[in-house]
Amino acid sequence: MKIVLAVDEDKQTIVKRTGQSAYFAIYEDDKLVELVPNKHHDGGHHAHRHNESHDHEGLSHDEHTNSHRKDVEALQGCDIILVQAVGENMREALESVGLRVKKIRQKHGATADEVVKNFLAGNI
């Protein structure tokens, strides 16, 4: 089973907002096999300061979803993504490449390794 998690720049810490992750960590069972950079991170359309709005003025719903879809195409062939929070457009993009989206909580782990272990043990 290929499991995806949205992680920060340290390549292990789970990020709250999936679309703002630095990387997508791909695990085969309990082993990290690949890190896919998130093109929206650091310079993409999600790069904004904390006090700035995160709006997509001028983009239709479909255009916004398609921008995410292009970024997650590399995740095609994976089975599931475990997320703390995911926006509607990102969710649609992830599902369009065949990923099942499952919500997790902070209690399931702070790092990708912890979350994967809990998922495989049936604790999520």
Side-chain angles (χ1 to χ4, degrees), residues 45-46 53-61 63-64 67 89:
H45 83 258
H46 283 131
S53 69
H54 170 112
D55 82 2
H56 300 278
E57 192 174 320
L59 285 182
S60 72
H61 172 80
E63 289 170 326
H64 187 185
S67 75
N89 295 298

Side-chain angles (χ1 to χ4, degrees), residues 78-93:
C78 295
D79 300 295
I80 189 168
I81 184 166
L82 306 174
V83 302
Q84 284 189 2
V86 63
E88 176 185 350
N89 295 298
M90 179 59 94
R91 175 184 285 275
E92 287 181 28

Side-chain angles (χ1 to χ4, degrees), residues 14-46:
I14 300 296
V15 296
K16 183 168 180 153
R17 296 278 308 176
T18 304
Q20 296 173 6
S21 66
Y23 298 95
F24 294 104
I26 301 175
Y27 283 74
E28 279 195 54
D29 298 316
D30 63 346
K31 292 188 178 20
L32 177 64
V33 294
E34 187 176 358
L35 286 164
V36 176
N38 180 4
K39 295 175 189 168
H40 276 118
H41 180 76
D42 194 27
H45 83 258
H46 283 131

Side-chain angles (χ1 to χ4, degrees), residues 61-62 64-79 81 86-101:
H61 172 80
D62 287 341
H64 187 185
T65 300
N66 284 335
S67 75
H68 283 296
R69 188 173 294 121
K70 289 175 187 169
D71 291 338
V72 300
E73 285 175 347
L75 304 178
Q76 202 159 10
C78 295
D79 300 295
I81 184 166
V86 63
E88 176 185 350
N89 295 298
M90 179 59 94
R91 175 184 285 275
E92 287 181 28
L94 292 165
E95 290 173 343
S96 78
V97 298
L99 279 168
R100 184 168 64 107
V101 178

